[in-house]
């Protein structure tokens, strides 16, 4: 005999919400569907006719009572009336030590031939930045193995710094140098919107032996905007796992500009108005939320290096200007300097805001001396080149001219050249003391 009270309790506990909707509109990147029991960030599946595999999509907004969906894959074969199944789950990615040395796609799935790693845990792709009062202050240097940076723009453990450059000046090569030589325990490298042919070039030519302690997250330029956007979030989540294991993580992202472009595509498809050079307001909300996830913690740290592709070498374009205001410093790569030496770091146009907190006073003073000599030579360069400057007219210029070859040699470094931090400091102090 059925207990009436038990039956009533079971009936009361039943979930009577409807979890299936229908596609009512497809315009460009966006799909609109009826939205029973849906929330922003939930994953749904779009079921195509003719038995095609369902396409996963994510709810990115609502308009006029309909859910706006962005697909994770191609929508070939989808049409009006296709069933949309609401899964009531958000994107979680597998993480763990087994992912070291692997190349993953934007959803954390293997792209190489190594099989599926056994995850240690699952982390949410999108999480809240840490409480600022729970972060340790930055007080230790993070040697990156690049002489010009370690000497004059020293990066701290847990710092977030941007590499600002136009196209074709060597950002990928510089990232590879840092990934191979940095003193971090783990590298997490995110390639957003990269050309397909350049992925293997980066892995084999630029990264090389650095792959063993690295995890690569790749979203090529042909993939949907949502995947390009998610690759940045997934890479940061992977870095958060290693941070929580007490490791010092070097998170490198190439590039923040393509992350912003992906969000621009999503925002515009969802009906957001453009506010600056076509970028909608959501771009300026997403960027600080992403960047603030890096930093120090009471366990480990995430040192973030984000490349910013400046359009037309304009350092004041919206994405570059916004990033510069959020990050703890910026390294500018100059196209003009690239014609004479590598890496083409514009020392005078760059700054590390935490350098005074992570180096000794002697190191700081030597760096100031070198910057001063570079500036002095730059001011007199035109006169020197046309022969209008006469030796002895100014002692500071004479010194800058005399030490110019040594300064240039210090700042020049081959892609395969080693540069230990102690050796860098010794050479810097010798030049500054002459």
């Amino acid at each position: 005999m059925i207990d009436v009270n038990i039956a009533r309790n079971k009936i009361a506990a039943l979930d009577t919400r409807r979890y299936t909707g229908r596609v009512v509109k497809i315009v460009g990147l966006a799909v609109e569907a009826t939205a029973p029991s849906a929330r922003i960030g939930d994953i749904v599946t779009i079921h195509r006719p003719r038995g095609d595999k369902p396409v996963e999509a994510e709810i990115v907004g609502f308009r006029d009572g309909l859910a706006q969906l962005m697909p994770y894959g191609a929508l070939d074969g989808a049409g009006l009336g296709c069933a949309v199944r609401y899964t009531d789950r958000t994107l979680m990615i597998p993480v763990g030590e087994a992912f070291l040395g692997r190349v993953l796609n934007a959803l954390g799935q293997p792209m190489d031939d190594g099989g599926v790693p056994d995850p240690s845990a699952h982390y949410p792709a999108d999480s809240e930045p840490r409480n600022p009062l729970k972060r340790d202050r930055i007080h230790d240097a993070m040697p990156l193995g690049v002489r010009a940076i370690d000497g004059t723009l020293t990066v701290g453990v847990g710092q977030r710094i941007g590499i600002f450059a136009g196209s074709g000046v060597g950002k990928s090569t510089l990232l590879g140098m840092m990934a191979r030589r940095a003193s971090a325990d783990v590298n997490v490298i995110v390639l957003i919107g990269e050309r397909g042919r350049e992925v293997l070039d980066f892995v084999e030519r630029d990264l090389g032996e650095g792959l063993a302690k690295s995890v690569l997250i790749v979203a090529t330029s042909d993939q949907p905007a949502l995947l390009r956007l998610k690759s940045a979030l997934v890479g940061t989540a992977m870095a958060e796992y290693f941070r929580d294991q007490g490791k010092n993580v070097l998170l490198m992202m190439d590039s923040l500009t393509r992350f912003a472009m992906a969000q621009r595509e999503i925002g515009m498809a969802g009906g957001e108005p453009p506010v600056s050079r076509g970028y909608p307001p959501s771009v300026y909300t997403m960027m600080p939320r992403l960047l603030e996830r890096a930093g120090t913690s009471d366990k480990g740290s995430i040192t973030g290096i984000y490349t910013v592709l400046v359009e037309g070498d304009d350092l004041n374009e919206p994405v570059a200007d916004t990033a510069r205001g959020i990050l703890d410093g910026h390294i500018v790569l100059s196209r003009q300097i690239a014609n004479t030496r590598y890496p083409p770091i514009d020392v005078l146009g760059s700054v590390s805001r935490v350098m005074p907190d992570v180096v000794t006073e002697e190191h700081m003073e030597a760096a100031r001396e070198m910057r001063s000599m570079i500036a002095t030579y730059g001011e007199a360069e035109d006169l020197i080149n046309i022969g209008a400057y006469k030796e002895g007219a100014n002692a500071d210029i004479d010194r800058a001219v005399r030490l110019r070859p040594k300064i240039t040699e210090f700042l020049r470094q081959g892609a395969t050249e080693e540069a230990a931090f102690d050796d860098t400091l010794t050479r810097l102090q010798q030049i500054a003391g002459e």
Side-chain angles (χ1 to χ4, degrees):
M1 185 175 178
I2 299 176
D3 189 311
V4 175
N5 290 328
I6 293 177
R8 285 175 178 170
N9 290 337
K10 288 184 176 181
I11 293 172
L14 287 175
D15 187 353
T16 58
R17 294 174 293 176
R18 187 163 54 92
Y19 284 96
T20 302
R22 296 285 174 181
V23 172
V24 297
K25 189 176 183 180
I26 301 177
V27 179
L29 301 172
V31 177
E32 294 188 0
T34 51
S37 307
R39 301 170 299 180
I40 288 180
D42 281 357
I43 293 175
V44 305
T45 54
I46 302 173
H47 296 260
R48 297 175 288 182
R50 300 191 301 275
D52 292 336
K53 184 179 178 181
V55 178
E56 286 195 332
E58 185 174 309
I59 299 174
V60 297
F62 298 93
R63 183 167 58 184
D64 300 330
L66 299 175
Q68 295 179 300
L69 316 177
M70 293 294 294
Y72 287 152
L75 282 173
D76 298 344
L80 299 181
C82 285
V84 177
R85 176 74 178 176
Y86 294 84
T87 63
D88 198 28
R89 63 182 175 88
T90 56
L91 181 61
M92 301 286 290
I93 66 158
V95 295
E97 300 282 343
F99 289 86
L100 288 173
R102 303 300 301 274
V103 182
L104 313 176
N105 65 15
L107 300 178
Q109 301 161 346
M111 294 179 65
D112 52 24
D113 298 326
V116 179
D118 292 327
S120 302
H122 286 78
Y123 268 44
D126 194 8
S127 62
E128 290 290 333
R130 295 183 65 84
N131 183 332
L133 298 181
K134 300 295 184 182
R135 298 172 183 246
D136 293 337
R137 291 191 61 194
I138 297 173
H139 47 72
D140 295 323
M142 167 69 81
L144 296 177
V146 179
R147 203 161 37 238
I149 297 175
D150 289 344
T152 64
L153 301 162
T154 312
V155 173
V157 175
Q159 183 177 354
R160 301 157 308 154
I161 196 164
I163 298 178
F164 291 69
S167 58
V169 294
K171 295 187 299 299
S172 296
T173 302
L174 184 59
L175 290 180
M177 290 173 65
M178 291 187 288
R180 292 195 303 273
R181 303 191 184 113
S183 61
D185 300 318
V186 175
N187 302 319
V188 177
I189 305 170
V190 186
L191 304 180
I192 307 172
E194 199 67 73
R195 302 178 187 92
R197 69 165 182 83
E198 291 183 338
V199 174
L200 191 61
D201 286 347
F202 178 81
V203 172
E204 295 185 352
R205 181 191 63 198
D206 297 327
L207 186 56
E209 68 275 13
L211 179 62
K213 67 169 187 177
S214 303
V215 181
L216 262 70
I217 313 291
V218 177
T220 52
S221 58
D222 61 303
Q223 293 184 319
L226 188 60
L227 287 184
R228 283 179 271 133
L229 181 82
K230 289 297 180 184
S231 64
L233 305 179
V234 168
T236 304
M238 185 69 73
E240 288 171 335
Y241 166 77
F242 288 108
R243 176 204 64 196
D244 292 346
Q245 306 309 304
K247 298 184 183 296
N248 290 327
V249 183
L250 183 62
L251 171 63
M252 293 183 281
M253 195 171 293
D254 185 15
S255 71
L256 196 60
T257 304
R258 296 196 185 107
F259 169 82
M261 288 178 173
Q263 180 57 33
R264 177 171 63 182
E265 291 181 44
I266 294 170
M268 298 297 284
E272 282 192 77
V275 293
S276 180
R277 291 204 189 178
Y279 289 103
S282 59
V283 169
Y284 304 103
T285 301
M286 291 286 290
M287 282 180 59
R289 183 179 175 87
L290 172 70
L291 298 177
E292 288 292 346
R293 289 170 64 183
T296 57
S297 76
D298 55 353
K299 297 177 182 177
S301 68
I302 301 174
T303 304
I305 298 179
Y306 305 87
T307 68
V308 180
L309 185 63
V310 290
E311 299 179 8
D313 294 341
D314 178 12
L315 293 175
N316 294 315
E317 61 93 23
V319 173
D321 194 46
T322 302
R324 193 164 52 242
I326 301 169
L327 296 169
D328 306 316
H330 54 273
I331 298 170
V332 177
L333 303 187
S334 165
R335 195 177 300 278
Q336 181 178 357
I337 295 175
N339 295 327
T340 58
R341 64 172 166 81
Y342 188 86
I345 296 172
D346 180 0
V347 174
L348 298 182
S350 307
V351 64
S352 171
R353 294 193 178 108
V354 306
M355 182 176 177
D357 297 326
V358 301
V359 301
T360 63
E361 185 56 40
E362 292 78 13
H363 184 167
M364 198 69 207
E365 184 59 33
R368 290 193 193 102
E369 277 294 314
M370 178 166 285
R371 294 172 73 94
S372 176
M373 286 187 284
I374 294 172
T376 299
Y377 186 90
E379 291 170 359
E381 187 170 14
D382 289 342
L383 294 176
I384 296 169
N385 289 340
I386 64 175
Y389 175 74
K390 301 300 181 184
E391 185 178 354
N394 184 294
D396 289 338
I397 296 177
D398 289 346
R399 182 181 181 223
V401 172
R402 176 170 56 86
L403 294 177
R404 174 73 173 177
K406 290 186 177 181
I407 293 173
T408 300
E409 188 60 29
F410 176 84
L411 298 176
R412 178 184 287 120
Q413 184 177 346
T416 59
E417 181 184 349
E418 298 291 336
F421 188 78
D422 290 342
D423 293 340
T424 294
L425 180 56
T426 299
R427 288 183 59 178
L428 175 67
Q429 290 175 330
Q430 287 174 346
I431 295 172
E434 291 189 26

